[in-house]
Amino acid sequence: MHVETSPTRTDDLDEAVALFVRHRGRLFGIAYRILGSAVEAEDVVQEVWLRWQKADRSAVVSPVAFLSTATTRLAINVAQSARVRRETYIGPWLPEPVDTSADPEIGAERAEAVELALLLVLERLTPVERAAYVLREAFDYAYAEIARMLELSVANVRKIVSRARRHLLAERRESVDAAEHRRLLSAFVAAARSGDVASLEALLAPDVVSLSDGNGTRGCARVPVLGRARVARLCVHRRFWREAEPEFVDANGSTGVVVRRDGRPLAFLTAAAAKDGIHQLLWVFAPDKLAAVTGPRPGGYGRRWAAGSSAAVCRG
């Protein structure tokens, strides 16, 4: 039996798709900052699309508020369950790096709360605290808007954001500028590849810490490595650097390094540096976390919702 498609319904769906695609970058940015995972953030945004598709959109006063609220609440739920899952994680857990040159929308309106080192610090906050901080500092939502999203009082949201700021300030050092950061990372890679321990030590702060996320990957340190001498010796591992090809990338709004061998990604590296040198090295070896910074994403994150006709989008 032939059933004609209602022009009104089709037009409405086309408009819904266009609006969702227009704000998708912001939604992904919110979810990624709360979760520290591109894969989980994409899943959240996909679920938000399904909810937006099924919603009575004629009754929605503010589509942007609807989408942002749904994204925030879903991300908080995922973050709460992720905490339980990470209890069985082998070794340090680090946020999943993302290639911000491939999709600048990941950075959304501000770069705040997208650097890997800061995302790691944000993990020490509760999911609700993290969400409040992200919405305020990275996306400039008003306190009243955040209160509605989180179903809290405005006074409570102000306290949460203020407490989160104090916590982050206590944990963070004053960073060097982008050019100096890239110089230090370049010098570090050159010294590590050549096995120059003395030059490495000169680049490192006395209290430097190296964290390796491998979730059981063979040869990956399962505990933090502390101190200039120990970190320098660890990083000149000849077997790791043999025939390795480092590639500098723009990851999480900063310079990072993808290390490949025979074209296959082995690891991702980035660092946090202050005036006294590199004080934190972040290595990601877990294969499932490397895809977001090494895999081909010609259309950027989450573009499957924008591809093709409205019918294709509806099928997800």
Side-chain angles (χ1 to χ4, degrees):
M1 182 178 68
H2 176 70
V3 179
E4 291 191 7
T5 303
S6 166
T8 302
R9 177 61 182 163
T10 301
D11 292 346
D12 174 63
L13 186 55
D14 285 343
E15 184 179 341
V17 170
L19 188 142
F20 184 85
V21 171
R22 189 160 63 248
H23 296 288
R24 183 211 57 83
R26 171 182 287 214
L27 304 181
F28 181 89
I30 292 171
Y32 174 70
R33 285 167 169 83
I34 294 173
L35 295 167
S37 166
V39 172
E40 290 177 345
E42 286 189 5
D43 289 342
V44 165
V45 176
Q46 171 71 355
E47 178 60 29
V48 172
W49 159 248
L50 294 175
R51 294 189 179 193
W52 177 237
Q53 180 186 341
K54 296 173 183 176
D56 179 5
R57 294 184 293 276
S58 64
V60 175
V61 176
S62 171
V64 177
F66 176 96
L67 296 172
S68 299
T69 299
T71 299
T72 300
R73 292 179 182 176
L74 281 168
I76 288 172
N77 290 341
V78 173
Q80 289 169 339
S81 63
R83 281 195 162 191
V84 177
R85 294 197 306 274
R86 288 169 191 167
E87 289 176 1
T88 60
Y89 203 82
I90 302 173
W93 180 93
L94 295 179
E96 181 183 352
V98 291
D99 183 355
T100 40
S101 68
D103 192 345
E105 286 184 336
I106 295 171
E109 295 162 16
R110 298 184 184 185
E112 182 65 32
V114 75
E115 291 181 8
L116 217 62
L118 179 54
L119 286 174
L120 183 59
V121 177
L122 282 175
E123 281 290 317
R124 300 176 191 176
L125 306 177
T126 69
V128 171
E129 289 173 333
R130 206 179 314 156
Y133 178 85
V134 163
L135 291 169
R136 180 61 186 168
E137 297 300 316
F139 294 91
D140 203 27
Y141 280 93
Y143 286 108
E145 292 177 293
I146 300 171
R148 285 192 293 272
M149 290 184 196
L150 301 181
E151 298 182 314
L152 298 170
S153 69
V154 173
N156 198 4
V157 169
R158 287 183 180 275
K159 288 179 182 178
I160 289 172
V161 174
S162 177
R163 188 165 59 240
R165 282 196 195 115
R166 289 197 302 271
H167 179 83
L168 294 175
L169 283 172
E171 292 283 340
R172 298 177 71 191
R173 302 188 193 184
E174 185 176 350
S175 300
V176 296
D177 62 28
E180 177 64 5
H181 178 269
R182 186 180 180 90
R183 186 196 71 79
L184 287 169
L185 195 57
S186 299
F188 175 88
V189 171
R193 293 182 75 192
S194 66
D196 189 343
V197 174
S199 293
L200 272 182
E201 290 191 12
L203 296 168
L204 303 175
D207 60 344
V208 63
V209 57
S210 176
L211 300 172
S212 300
D213 180 328
N215 196 21
T217 300
R218 186 178 178 182
C220 179
R222 298 188 179 187
V223 295
V225 178
L226 307 172
R228 181 184 281 159
R230 292 184 65 196
V231 169
R233 288 197 300 272
L234 172 77
C235 294
V236 296
H237 199 295
R238 295 185 184 279
R239 192 172 180 182
F240 173 77
W241 291 108
R242 187 181 301 132
E243 298 180 3
E245 299 174 358
E247 173 194 358
F248 288 89
V249 297
D250 180 3
N252 294 73
S254 183
T255 300
V257 181
V258 174
V259 182
R260 302 177 190 269
R261 184 179 295 124
D262 298 326
R264 182 176 64 88
L266 298 177
F268 169 81
L269 165 67
T270 192
K275 290 181 179 179
D276 58 347
I278 294 172
H279 59 85
Q280 187 180 54
L281 288 164
L282 302 175
W283 299 84
V284 178
F285 292 91
D288 59 331
K289 288 189 175 182
L290 294 176
V293 76
T294 63
R297 292 176 182 264
Y301 295 85
R303 296 297 186 188
R304 59 179 175 266
W305 298 287
S309 64
S310 297
V313 176
C314 290
R315 288 194 297 270

